[in-house]
Amino acid sequence: LRKSRQEAAQTREAIVAAAADLIRRTGIAEASLADMMAAAGLTHGGFYRHFRNKEHLISEALSAAGGKAIATIGQKMAKGGLKAAVDGYLSTSHRDSPTPICPFAALGSEMARSRKVTKAAATEVLEKLFATLAGDAPDREEARGDAIVALSMMIGAMTLARIVADSDLSSEILDRANDHLTGWASQQPGRSM
Amino acid sequence: LRKSRQEAAQTREAIVAAAADLIRRTGIAEASLADMMAAAGLTHGGFYRHFRNKEHLISEALSAAGGKAIATIGQKMAKGGLKAAVDGYLSTSHRDSPTPICPFAALGSEMARSRKVTKAAATEVLEKLFATLAGDAPDREEARGDAIVALSMMIGAMTLARIVADSDLSSEILDRANDHLTGWASQQPGRSM
DNA sequence: TGTACATCAGTGAACGCGCGTTCACTGATGTAC
DNA sequence: TGTACATCAGTGAACGCGCGTTCACTGATGTAC
């Protein structure tokens, strides 16, 4: 039963959104086309009316997940600057969220082994994230460097905090990383943190 | 054709070593039992004479890979302190190595979704890595915190550097992270870096 | 505006394939006497 | 030390299953006149 173009476009968006959620929860390899289509309320057969293959959906899903993460982090930045963004990110609630916010912490090592299409999408998201974390500081170059440093630490610490079996050790990692980023920024002039 | 106990023990070690290499190259999900056994010069049928199932081999392989990483980083520490360890880790040659040294950068997000046995092995390796990076500094507590901070940043930066499609951006991430860790440590007294 | 036809979104069955796991089998190793 | 038997490391075929992908089909939507 054919759907109208508008409905089809909505379906496509729903598939991308469902995939963006599912891959952050289960990983890319573990998220099957049938699972992602079912999460969007569809059967798997219609997949190829919308996407060339699994990789193309994944790259779009990463862009969508990245967009949501940027929006979340951007809101924190607007409200409380870099400190608020870091606090929100390096929190136990983010660590324990069933659907992680950040695709890099949730899927980093899988993305590192992915193909060109996926890596290109990831690179674009990463550049936007750097720009978001750099904010509107006067020294663009320095602010960008700080954003790279902060995001590297945030992603590394969150990844380790999620690996670790011991709850105390996990919190220790988040706290040490947060303390470091907070203390570091407060030493430097012209930072909003 | 039955092998002697000694030969069987060597076979087991060879399987673990082959698995440790393969999973860092391809990821855990993508490394099949048949591939790992073949890499050790065996056929897949004999696998269950040595391991209960795939997960148990993976947890042992992670311990083995972690042991090698700790040894490598420990050597750098002994020669040139934390600065040498960080320099070696955040290098383009480590980034581009076909078999990554560090299991956390290579498999971090997969480990975060793994089961108890695997997480326990990973946690043990991580604790040893922290101890190695803390070295023999007088203030144990502070040195441990610094090690956590340094390793979080190293793993996050290496993961991002491997994801990124653009070579300049990739090097920029490694350099910014390295500069930060180097500059930060040089500000603090009593550090060997 | 109405009509005839082409298009195509979505379904559900089917495909070939590789996966983890099981199993019968072989014959050298280990053990009991 | 020798002998008879049990053990078991490793092989290769087989299993059931889920995967990504393909395809015939349905009928509402879109298009041409």
Side-chain angles (χ1 to χ4, degrees), chain A residues 163-165 169, chain B residues 63 66 70 104 117-131:
Chain A
I163 289 172
V164 149
L169 177 56
Chain B
S63 298
I70 290 166
F104 294 102
V117 188
T118 306
K119 284 194 168 191
T123 303
E124 204 175 322
V125 170
L126 193 60
E127 282 284 18
K128 284 182 193 162
L129 251 180
F130 288 156

Side-chain angles (χ1 to χ4, degrees), chain B:
Chain B
L1 307 85
R2 186 180 189 185
K3 296 294 175 64
S4 73
R5 284 178 184 156
Q6 190 185 337
E7 284 173 307
Q10 288 174 353
T11 298
R12 193 192 151 94
E13 280 178 41
I15 297 171
V16 172
D21 276 18
L22 196 63
I23 59 176
R24 277 178 295 170
R25 255 180 280 134
T26 70
I28 296 171
E30 286 73 17
S32 72
L33 293 189
D35 290 343
M36 294 187 285
M37 291 295 278
L42 298 163
T43 55
H44 67 280
F47 176 82
Y48 294 88
R49 295 277 170 209
H50 295 286
F51 306 95
R52 199 188 310 181
N53 53 36
K54 182 176 178 180
E55 193 192 0
H56 279 79
L57 169 58
I58 294 300
S59 77
E60 285 199 44
L62 280 178
S63 298
K68 282 174 70 176
I70 290 166
T72 302
I73 289 172
Q75 281 174 15
K76 296 271 185 187
M77 285 286 295
K79 279 187 191 167
L82 190 57
K83 174 160 175 49
V86 171
D87 274 345
Y89 193 104
L90 292 174
S91 65
T92 52
S93 67
H94 178 208
R95 180 195 64 195
D96 301 333
S97 164
T99 303
I101 297 171
C102 175
F104 294 102
L107 306 167
S109 46
E110 272 191 287
M111 289 161 84
R113 286 186 301 269
S114 65
R115 298 158 142 278
K116 222 191 300 182
V117 188
T118 306
K119 284 194 168 191
T123 303
E124 204 175 322
V125 170
L126 193 60
E127 282 284 18
K128 284 182 193 162
L129 251 180
F130 288 156
T132 302
L133 283 173
D136 51 3
D139 186 337
R140 310 299 300 151
E141 195 58 36
E142 185 181 77
R144 178 183 164 84
D146 292 351
I148 291 174
V149 163
L151 195 63
S152 295
M153 178 103 104
M154 287 153 72
I155 289 167
M158 182 52 70
T159 301
L160 293 182
R162 287 196 179 123
I163 289 172
V164 148
D166 181 81
S167 171
D168 289 343
L169 177 56
S170 181
S171 299
E172 184 185 5
I173 293 166
L174 295 181
D175 291 345
R176 287 282 171 277
N178 199 344
D179 291 349
H180 176 79
L181 287 180
T182 304
W184 161 62
S186 70
Q187 282 180 11
Q188 319 216 3
R191 299 275 164 78
S192 59
M193 190 160 159

Side-chain angles (χ1 to χ4, degrees), chain A residues 1-2 11 43-46 49-50:
Chain A
L1 307 85
R2 186 180 188 184
T11 298
T43 57
H44 65 281
R49 294 277 171 209
H50 295 285

Side-chain angles (χ1 to χ4, degrees), chain A residues 7 10 27 37 53-54 60 63 81-82 118 120 125 130 132 143 150 159 170 184 187:
Chain A
E7 283 173 307
Q10 287 174 353
M37 291 294 278
N53 53 35
K54 181 176 179 180
E60 285 199 43
S63 297
L82 190 57
T118 305
V125 169
F130 288 155
T132 301
T159 301
S170 182
W184 162 60
Q187 284 180 13

